[in-house]
């Protein structure tokens, strides 16, 4: 993202509207006119297709269990029950969420850190001295990019899921509430992770440090399950079984999963509140630090 957010960029973004609207247009122009957005979108499509394929193989084995005759009949009846099929459809419609939100997260990081990496931040803040307005425009851009990733993934899944379920001789409506709920919460997850990355980038500012930090935070979140499992074995405190939800990535999974994301997982709304809380805190911290720091 080497395009400058200078007066020329703002002019190309349109002569009408408020400063915030023009800044948002300029942010989209930078994403659209550089290779970063295309590379991220291409990678996202590839990983989503891979996730759909892997998920499909897993669901196929659930629908065609290889067990003894008596056990297979019972497992087959359970797997093809309407509630189970709806859960499978929800899983298919959100395929790749665990890994693909990383694209929204990292793009959010780059939206803000590219200004400092390319030394264009000074021009940006001289052109628009209101730093909060600049950061909020980037927040809007990161949120929209997350929503775009969700839309592309949902369209791919909406094409593949009915065809796959038909091939398995089961049917369910992808518009049913169980499926629609997971899809809508998946949208919230993608938007939140895009803004999360933006906030993290604004706090850390260094592009390399922020990218490494984003990956470490996301991947390290899943380690909370191991940590609290070990603590539970030592102290036998029941609350420790649900405590892994404090990890942002685990909170995201708890929020979007149809049913418990892991044994003793808290309700989905708990994960949503935790993820949104982290996101708001990072954006607020990023705004505060950006207002106080030198931009060069």
């Amino acid at each position: 993202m080497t395009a400058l957010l200078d007066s020329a960029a703002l002019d190309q973004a349109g002569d009408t509207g408020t400063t915030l609207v023009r800044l948002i247009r300029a942010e989209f122009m930078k994403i659209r006119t550089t290779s970063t957005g295309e590379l991220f979108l291409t990678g996202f499509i590839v990983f989503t297709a891979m996730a759909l394929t892997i998920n499909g193989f897993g669901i196929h084995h659930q629908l065609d269990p290889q067990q003894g005759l008596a056990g297979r009949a019972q497992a087959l009846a359970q797997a093809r029950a309407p509630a189970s099929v709806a859960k499978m459809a929800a899983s298919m419609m959100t395929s790749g969420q665990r890994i693909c939100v990383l694209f929204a997260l990292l793009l959010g990081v780059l939206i803000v850190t590219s200004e400092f990496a390319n030394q264009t931040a000074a021009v940006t803040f001289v052109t628009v001295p209101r730093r909060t307005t600049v950061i909020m425009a980037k927040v809007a851009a990161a949120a929209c990019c997350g929503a775009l990733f969700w839309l592309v993934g949902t369209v791919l899944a909406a094409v593949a899921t009915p065809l796959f379920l038909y091939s398995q001789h089961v049917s369910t409506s992808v518009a049913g509430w169980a499926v629609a709920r997971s899809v809508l919460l998946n949208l919230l997850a993608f938007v939140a992770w895009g803004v999360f990355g933006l906030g993290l980038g604004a706090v850390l500012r260094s592009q390399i440090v922020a990218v490494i930090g984003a990956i470490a935070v996301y991947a390290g979140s899943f380690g909370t399950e191991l940590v609290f499992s070990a603590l539970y074995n030592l102290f036998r405190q029941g609350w420790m079984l649900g405590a892994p939800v404090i990890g942002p990535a685990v909170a995201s999974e708890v929020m979007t999963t149809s049913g418990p994301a892991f044994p003793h997982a808290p309700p989905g709304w708990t994960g949503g509140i935790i993820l949104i809380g982290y996101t708001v805190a990072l954006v607020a911290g990023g705004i505060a630090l950006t207002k106080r720091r030198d931009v060069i």
Side-chain angles (χ1 to χ4, degrees):
M1 295 183 184
T2 58
L4 300 179
L5 185 56
D6 54 14
S7 57
L10 289 174
D11 287 340
Q12 291 182 35
D15 296 326
T16 60
T18 64
T19 300
L20 179 60
V21 172
R22 296 178 67 199
L23 282 167
I24 294 172
R25 289 175 180 171
E27 290 296 332
F28 285 128
M29 185 189 69
K30 288 190 291 183
I31 297 170
R32 190 176 63 251
T33 57
T34 59
S35 60
T36 303
E38 294 178 1
L39 290 173
F40 269 70
L41 186 58
T42 301
F44 177 81
I45 291 172
V46 170
F47 273 88
T48 299
M50 290 172 58
L52 279 166
T53 302
I54 294 170
N55 205 2
F57 278 114
I59 291 174
H60 170 73
H61 287 296
Q62 292 181 50
L63 292 171
D64 188 22
Q66 301 300 315
Q67 300 179 9
L69 184 59
R72 184 177 186 277
Q74 183 178 5
L76 193 63
Q78 292 177 350
R80 293 177 178 270
S84 297
V85 174
K87 187 174 181 179
M88 292 175 189
S91 176
M92 284 288 290
M93 286 295 296
T94 57
S95 288
Q97 189 265 355
R98 171 175 279 198
I99 187 68
C100 289
V101 292
L102 274 171
F103 288 92
L105 172 64
L106 295 178
L107 186 57
V109 168
L110 296 181
I111 285 174
V112 64
T113 58
S114 61
E115 294 267 21
F116 298 102
N118 295 313
Q119 299 182 340
T120 63
V123 176
T124 298
F125 292 122
V126 167
T127 305
V128 184
R130 295 185 296 278
R131 299 185 182 186
T132 299
T133 303
V134 173
I135 297 299
M136 292 310 297
K138 293 180 182 297
V139 166
C144 289
C145 287
L148 177 60
F149 283 132
W150 167 85
L151 179 61
V152 171
T154 300
V155 169
L156 292 174
V159 172
T161 299
L163 294 175
F164 170 76
L165 293 177
Y166 179 79
S167 72
Q168 301 300 305
H169 308 291
V170 294
S171 63
T172 188
S173 173
V174 295
W177 174 240
V179 179
R181 175 186 176 277
S182 293
V183 171
L184 292 174
L185 289 174
N186 202 35
L187 168 60
L188 178 59
F190 272 95
V191 170
W193 279 111
V195 179
F196 186 105
L198 187 286
L200 185 64
V203 169
L204 298 179
R205 194 160 72 170
S206 168
Q207 189 168 85
I208 295 176
V209 172
V211 168
I212 293 174
I215 296 173
V217 167
Y218 189 81
S221 295
F222 293 108
T224 58
E225 295 185 48
L226 298 175
V227 171
F228 281 104
S229 177
L231 289 174
Y232 175 77
N233 290 332
L234 289 174
F235 301 105
R236 295 294 175 178
Q237 297 295 315
W239 63 268
M240 293 180 178
L241 296 173
V245 74
I246 65 170
V250 179
S252 178
E253 195 161 286
V254 167
M255 178 182 71
T256 58
T257 301
S258 178
F262 56 89
H264 306 285
W269 60 264
T270 306
I273 290 175
I274 291 173
L275 180 61
I276 293 171
Y278 280 126
T279 302
V280 171
L282 281 172
V283 171
I287 291 173
L289 290 173
T290 301
K291 291 170 71 173
R292 297 181 60 181
R293 286 171 172 164
D294 294 332
V295 296
I296 299 177

